[in-house]
Amino acid sequence: MLETQISVRGLVEFVYRSGDLDLRFSGKSKMTDGIKVHQKIQASQGIDYEAEVSLKKVVKTDEVALKISGRADGILHTSEGVVIDEIKGTSQWLDKIDEMTFPVHWAQAKIYGYIYAEENALKELTIQLTYVAFETNEVKRLRQEWSFEALKEFFDETVKVYLPWVKYKNDWFRLRNQSITLLDFPFASYRKGQRQLAVSVYNTIKDQQVLFAQAPTGIGKTVSTLFPTIKSMHEGLVDKVFYLAAKNTTKKVAEETVDLLTDRGLMMKSITLTAKDKICFKDKSNCNPEYCEYAKGHFDRVNDALWEALHGQGQLNRAYIEAIAEAHKVCPYEFSLDLALFSDLVICDYNYAFDPRVYLRRFFDVPTEKFVFLVDEAHNLVDRARTMFSAELHKDKIMAIKKDVKSHDQKLMKQIEGINKTILSVRKNCDERGVYVDKDEIEAIYQQLRRRATAIEKWLTQSQGSPIYDQVLDFYFEILSYLRISECYDEGFLFYITQGDKPDTLIKLFCIDPSRQLQRFINNSVATVFFSATLSPMPYYENLLCKSEAVKRLALDSPFEEKHKCVLFSKDVSVKYKERDKALPLIVEAIHEMAQSRLGNYMVFLPSYYYMEQVHEAFQLSYDRDYDIIIQEREMSDEERITFIDTFKHHHETRCTQAISDQKSLICFSVLGGVFSEGIDLKGDYLIGTAIVGVGLPMIQFENDLIRSYFDEINGHGFQYAYQYPGVNKVMQAAGRVIRSESDQGVILLLDNRLMQYYYRKLLPRDWGRHLITKNELSKQLELFWKEALENES
């Protein structure tokens, strides 16, 4: 018999939801202040008040067992009997809340009441809703008397409505698990290292641990992580898999892998979550029933849409979601989040699991399932996590919103002026450079923002027709973001204030070490696998991505033969900032030697846009007629990026139809660490060589220097953590564009003699060899490699 779990809140919100989807504003500060409101009310009730009482009830049928669980905010024992207390913080006027305002709140409390009454053999009890105003702490209580029989009838009716969905899940899990039992690895044999990775992932899940796996390009990381995770599902080790990635290209590979396994007989519901702005049917993403017909009445129709979607295809891709959402006139984004509740595999961005502002609360606030996180291209998570857990305020934005508000609402303007005055006060801490840095944040900013946020929130609930509504709402979310991060603030942060050239002041909560913050979210999983082609040195990533004591490591060698790639280190070229002009002609000649050694497509990665443009211009002056040349633009849309990558395929295919005299090599100039230096897959002759200029060091700038100083104090490796390790990762990622399959052959030209130094070489892959060359030796080495490569082909 299958056991399905759901929280009391999840149950009533699913069964009793109705009406419009209205996300213009819904009292967001309850997420910031809600816990404090609960604690304050609970602490004021005396010794007869039990707080946070865990309750559960299992409903069994012939086919399923439904476990319903939750925590009642409070249970009060009085001389008249037992009172079940449900506490709700609100920014609404309390006199506008009556017994009919929030039926879902009553439903939640009544379920708690029934379970408690049954456990304690009570014939009757009182249900109480306690509403607390965030701004004033004023309290309003609503009470209803209920008999046990009436509560039982309500509970039974609620469960009756939900049971068909439980039966659907039970039937689906049976089919899914049967298909998983029969599922074999989708290839005839494992590549070198592939079985080892798959076994490590399975054991990590079985042992409920965290795995850091460095698996070079070509091993088949996606299938080697997904396959063992899926196999563990039918054993009851996993209920749901979150495949987390930073780029759409990576998510696409995960989708293709699921297609591959589906072709081999797997039955699985998988969904790829698309960002709200991209999947929205309207020109502007504005969940306002007065603006959007899909938001109006959304909850009246969404369960019918769910039922249809779940009884259709297994791959819940964007096109399918949009088609069903359009047919039922529901919001496609909110609909996709509901579908994720019934999916076995959720493919999505990192932020859905880790970002405190937007993580999927429906899964992770009160976890009722066993989740596994598969974190692809995990080297990207360090910078992403720093962004997720940092927050900032700009004085110029505050002045701009103050100006907008001034002519519309003087009272609101004074609230914003209060924030401005606090910033003027705290920036007096800045030194003569206009900088203030401390380990501790200035508490006065938090207190001021928290007080003003509740006032602005109340304005938002009452002023939805105002011409300045959108500006105020955006500003409010900036305040809320700061408050949320402030409440996460720990020893992994620094607080700083800077005054720029213009009359602006920046106040920032800067998360330097996100490991403790990430660990809170990792704890939502039974196991987490961080994997990438480049996780070197592994202790660096371990230290910054988790605080788990149950960590396993796996570092695999490349599955491809070393003779398929020619890795050459230049002795002559130095790209230190002061020597870049001197290096320019040497770089141009090296690119030419590489590109003329064999007809094909090549990429050149430069340390900055400025230097890329310099090298590109110098190269064109000498060799413009000899090659077809493209260059990465500073700003490119998604469509322009796709066109840029398609140029490689188109150029190769066109060249094959041309007369030999008309054929030219293609050279692409790109930025090291940019959008084209990782996550693109140009197999075979679509790319046969790359030149990497520099060691990838991030720019010397204020925040990077803060990271350096922080880790110098923590572990003495400040330069490595701030500059060297991120830089080497960029180099390895760029080099990884060349050899993508067993048959690929290509050149990796490293143009910076710093990469020969011990502190860099120990970080680079062992199979890169030690081919150190001067400019005079380059042509000979390239000629020798391609000669042997052609012989191997024949």
Side-chain angles (χ1 to χ4, degrees):
M1 179 182 292
L2 175 73
E3 182 177 285
T4 298
Q5 299 186 60
I6 190 169
S7 67
V8 172
R9 180 172 177 175
L11 173 66
V12 299
E13 287 183 349
F14 185 86
V15 171
Y16 293 107
R17 58 185 174 175
S18 63
D20 300 335
L21 172 67
D22 192 347
L23 301 182
R24 287 174 292 180
F25 182 73
S26 55
K28 298 291 182 178
S29 73
K30 64 185 179 184
M31 299 171 187
T32 303
D33 296 338
I35 294 176
K36 294 179 179 178
V37 164
H38 279 63
Q39 292 173 342
K40 184 173 183 179
I41 293 297
Q42 290 164 343
S44 68
Q45 298 303 296
I47 60 174
D48 294 327
Y49 190 92
E50 294 180 74
E52 302 296 327
V53 178
S54 294
L55 297 167
K56 66 179 179 180
K57 168 75 175 176
V58 178
V59 178
K60 293 184 179 180
T61 70
D62 293 339
E63 297 177 302
V64 299
L66 173 61
K67 181 180 178 181
I68 304 166
S69 60
R71 287 197 304 269
D73 291 332
I75 297 178
L76 179 63
H77 300 272
T78 72
S79 56
E80 290 81 19
V82 173
V83 178
I84 304 294
D85 192 23
E86 182 66 18
I87 304 169
K88 300 294 183 182
T90 182
S91 57
Q92 295 191 22
W93 296 105
L94 293 185
D95 59 6
K96 295 186 179 298
I97 297 176
D98 58 28
E99 291 189 352
M100 304 299 293
T101 306
F102 297 111
V104 172
H105 295 170
W106 285 113
Q108 185 176 352
K110 284 155 68 176
I111 298 293
Y112 290 140
Y114 165 70
I115 298 173
Y116 187 83
E118 184 182 56
E119 288 179 353
N120 294 274
L122 299 178
K123 294 183 178 181
E124 59 185 19
L125 49 69
T126 300
I127 302 297
Q128 175 174 283
L129 298 184
T130 299
Y131 290 98
V132 186
F134 285 131
E135 185 174 8
T136 64
N137 287 323
E138 182 184 356
V139 176
K140 180 173 185 176
R141 291 183 172 91
L142 302 173
R143 285 190 172 191
Q144 293 180 354
E145 306 295 329
W146 286 85
S147 68
F148 173 76
E149 290 76 13
L151 289 173
K152 183 179 186 304
E153 182 180 351
F154 177 81
F155 177 84
D156 290 343
E157 183 61 31
T158 303
V159 171
K160 181 181 178 181
V161 174
Y162 189 66
L163 276 177
W165 298 88
V166 179
K167 184 178 184 304
Y168 158 78
K169 291 179 74 172
N170 180 51
D171 293 343
W172 173 255
F173 287 173
R174 188 181 296 114
L175 290 171
R176 183 201 70 185
N177 289 345
Q178 183 179 2
S179 74
I180 292 173
T181 303
L182 301 173
L183 184 67
D184 293 323
F185 191 70
F187 301 105
S189 62
Y190 287 89
R191 291 176 179 172
K192 177 184 174 183
Q194 196 168 35
R195 181 187 289 275
Q196 189 177 355
L197 176 57
V199 170
S200 294
V201 170
Y202 177 83
N203 287 334
T204 297
I205 295 169
K206 185 180 69 173
D207 297 334
Q208 298 190 359
Q209 295 178 316
V210 173
L211 172 65
F212 283 83
Q214 179 168 281
T217 299
I219 281 179
K221 295 186 291 295
T222 306
V223 71
S224 301
T225 53
L226 270 176
F227 178 74
T229 306
I230 291 169
K231 292 294 282 187
S232 70
M233 296 183 85
H234 84 94
E235 299 178 21
L237 301 175
V238 181
D239 294 320
K240 193 183 298 288
V241 183
F242 286 87
Y243 193 98
L244 306 169
K247 295 181 173 62
N248 288 332
T249 51
T250 314
K251 297 168 197 169
K252 185 68 175 176
V253 174
E255 290 176 338
E256 292 169 351
T257 302
V258 174
D259 286 338
L260 175 66
L261 294 171
T262 300
D263 291 342
R264 301 300 193 276
L266 174 66
M267 297 184 70
M268 171 171 279
K269 294 291 182 188
S270 79
I271 186 169
T272 301
L273 297 181
T274 303
K276 185 175 183 178
D277 289 343
K278 291 185 178 181
I279 202 172
C280 181
F281 290 144
K282 307 292 285 185
D283 293 335
K284 181 182 178 182
S285 177
N286 181 2
C287 293
N288 173 356
E290 297 173 9
Y291 166 78
C292 177
E293 63 271 30
Y294 302 94
K296 189 171 183 60
H298 166 90
F299 291 116
D300 297 328
R301 302 182 294 270
V302 69
N303 282 2
D304 289 338
L306 273 173
W307 193 257
E308 179 180 340
L310 293 173
H311 287 80
Q313 66 189 51
Q315 280 270 43
L316 306 175
N317 55 36
R318 178 176 175 177
Y320 182 67
I321 291 169
E322 289 179 336
I324 301 290
E326 179 65 66
H328 288 267
K329 288 293 184 288
V330 296
C331 168
Y333 178 71
E334 292 295 324
F335 176 50
S336 71
L337 297 184
D338 281 345
L339 281 171
L341 290 169
F342 292 88
S343 298
D344 308 301
L345 169 65
V346 181
I347 302 169
C348 58
D349 192 88
Y350 296 153
N351 59 11
Y352 288 97
F354 298 133
D355 192 324
R357 302 170 180 90
V358 298
Y359 72 98
L360 296 173
R361 296 178 181 276
R362 62 187 67 198
F363 293 106
F364 304 130
D365 271 356
V366 184
T368 58
E369 297 177 287
K370 289 174 280 190
F371 304 130
V372 165
F373 294 156
L374 301 180
V375 187
D376 200 353
E377 302 292 356
H379 62 275
N380 285 311
L381 185 55
V382 175
D383 284 341
R384 282 288 301 275
R386 282 181 174 143
T387 300
M388 289 175 188
F389 294 106
S390 295
E392 57 189 42
L393 294 170
H394 290 266
K395 186 177 184 300
D396 60 347
K397 290 184 179 180
I398 295 171
M399 295 305 294
I401 189 68
K402 178 185 170 184
K403 181 179 178 181
D404 289 339
V405 167
K406 186 176 182 179
S407 59
H408 290 85
D409 194 310
Q410 286 289 315
K411 188 175 180 181
L412 179 61
M413 189 269 290
K414 290 179 180 178
Q415 296 290 341
I416 297 170
E417 175 58 23
I419 299 173
N420 183 54
K421 286 180 178 178
T422 299
I423 291 179
L424 290 173
S425 174
V426 299
R427 77 175 183 184
K428 294 176 182 178
N429 291 284
C430 293
D431 59 20
E432 64 278 1
R433 300 170 300 151
V435 175
Y436 173 78
V437 180
D438 202 343
K439 292 181 180 179
D440 298 319
E441 62 173 318
I442 295 178
E443 184 70 16
I445 299 173
Y446 173 85
Q447 297 298 340
Q448 180 69 219
L449 291 177
R450 187 168 180 270
R451 186 158 62 92
R452 304 300 180 179
T454 54
I456 296 172
E457 181 174 308
K458 182 157 286 188
W459 183 92
L460 288 165
T461 62
Q462 301 165 354
S463 310
Q464 294 182 349
S466 171
I468 57 171
Y469 184 87
D470 288 343
Q471 298 96 304
V472 176
L473 182 62
D474 289 343
F475 178 61
Y476 171 77
F477 282 138
E478 288 187 28
I479 293 174
L480 193 62
S481 174
Y482 189 98
L483 292 173
R484 286 177 180 162
I485 298 304
S486 178
E487 291 173 353
C488 297
Y489 198 95
D490 63 17
E491 58 264 43
F493 286 76
L494 286 178
F495 172 86
Y496 74 78
I497 306 172
T498 58
Q499 292 179 263
D501 295 334
K502 58 181 181 178
D504 186 24
T505 300
L506 168 66
I507 294 175
K508 185 160 184 177
L509 307 174
F510 181 33
C511 182
I512 293 180
D513 177 2
S515 58
R516 294 173 188 82
Q517 303 302 323
L518 286 170
Q519 186 63 49
R520 292 191 295 112
F521 292 92
I522 291 170
N523 289 340
N524 289 322
S525 71
V526 295
T528 294
V529 178
F530 295 103
F531 60 102
S532 170
T534 54
L535 285 180
S536 178
M538 206 167 284
Y540 164 75
Y541 291 99
E542 287 180 29
N543 291 341
L544 291 180
L545 295 181
C546 80
K547 286 297 180 187
S548 174
E549 296 180 0
V551 172
K552 298 168 64 175
R553 297 181 187 177
L554 178 67
L556 300 170
D557 293 327
S558 172
F560 303 138
E561 296 185 54
E562 289 187 33
K563 64 182 180 180
H564 282 191
K565 63 177 174 288
C566 176
V567 183
L568 302 175
F569 292 78
S570 171
K571 292 181 180 179
D572 301 313
V573 178
S574 172
V575 197
K576 291 181 179 178
Y577 189 77
K578 293 182 179 180
E579 297 177 328
R580 288 186 178 180
D581 289 342
K582 180 182 176 182
L584 198 58
L586 295 174
I587 293 169
V588 167
E589 288 305 308
I591 296 168
H592 167 63
E593 290 290 351
M594 177 182 69
Q596 63 90 41
S597 65
R598 183 178 182 179
L599 194 67
N601 296 341
Y602 296 88
M603 296 189 80
V604 181
F605 293 102
L606 287 304
S608 68
Y609 278 103
Y610 177 73
Y611 200 54
M612 176 187 70
E613 290 161 357
Q614 280 188 298
V615 173
H616 171 251
E617 183 179 348
F619 190 84
Q620 280 192 309
L621 287 174
S622 299
Y623 299 110
D624 185 38
R625 296 183 179 182
D626 300 326
Y627 303 101
D628 291 325
I629 300 171
I630 58 175
I631 184 170
Q632 177 182 345
E633 301 295 335
R634 289 178 181 262
E635 299 290 338
M636 300 179 75
S637 66
D638 289 343
E639 292 74 17
E640 289 170 332
R641 293 176 185 178
I642 292 170
T643 300
F644 191 85
I645 293 302
D646 285 345
T647 303
F648 288 83
K649 301 175 183 179
H650 176 74
H651 197 277
H652 171 72
E653 292 162 0
T654 302
R655 189 167 56 232
C656 293
T657 65
Q658 293 175 327
I660 294 178
S661 58
D662 295 330
Q663 294 179 8
K664 294 181 180 181
S665 287
L666 172 70
I667 300 177
C668 159
F669 288 88
S670 294
V671 174
L672 186 59
V675 292
F676 300 118
S677 65
E678 63 175 281
I680 61 172
D681 197 20
L682 297 168
K683 294 181 179 178
D685 290 332
Y686 290 150
L687 182 67
I688 63 170
T690 183
I692 301 169
V693 180
V695 294
L697 296 181
M699 290 180 61
I700 296 175
Q701 46 110 315
F702 179 68
E703 287 195 347
N704 287 335
D705 281 343
L706 288 181
I707 296 171
R708 178 175 183 169
S709 298
Y710 177 91
F711 285 107
D712 270 339
E713 184 175 338
I714 296 293
N715 58 24
H717 297 301
F719 175 74
Q720 289 87 346
Y721 273 53
Y723 293 102
Q724 187 184 41
Y725 295 160
V728 169
N729 191 282
K730 294 177 188 177
V731 171
M732 291 192 290
Q733 281 292 326
R737 298 314 96 209
V738 180
I739 307 296
R740 309 295 297 175
S741 70
E742 295 95 332
S743 60
D744 285 8
Q745 300 180 94
V747 173
I748 299 168
L749 184 56
L750 300 165
L751 298 176
D752 194 320
N753 55 23
R754 284 175 290 181
L755 290 169
M756 297 165 50
Q757 297 172 3
Y758 169 75
Y759 290 107
Y760 283 96
R761 288 303 304 268
K762 71 177 183 178
L763 301 174
L764 299 175
R766 288 174 289 183
D767 64 349
W768 277 18
R770 296 183 178 277
H771 300 289
L772 314 179
I773 58 165
T774 64
K775 64 176 182 178
N776 297 325
E777 298 169 326
L778 177 57
S779 177
K780 181 179 178 180
Q781 288 290 336
L782 291 169
E783 180 182 355
L784 179 63
F785 170 74
W786 286 121
K787 180 181 177 182
E788 292 177 352
L790 290 171
E791 290 174 354
N792 292 332
E793 286 179 359
S794 60

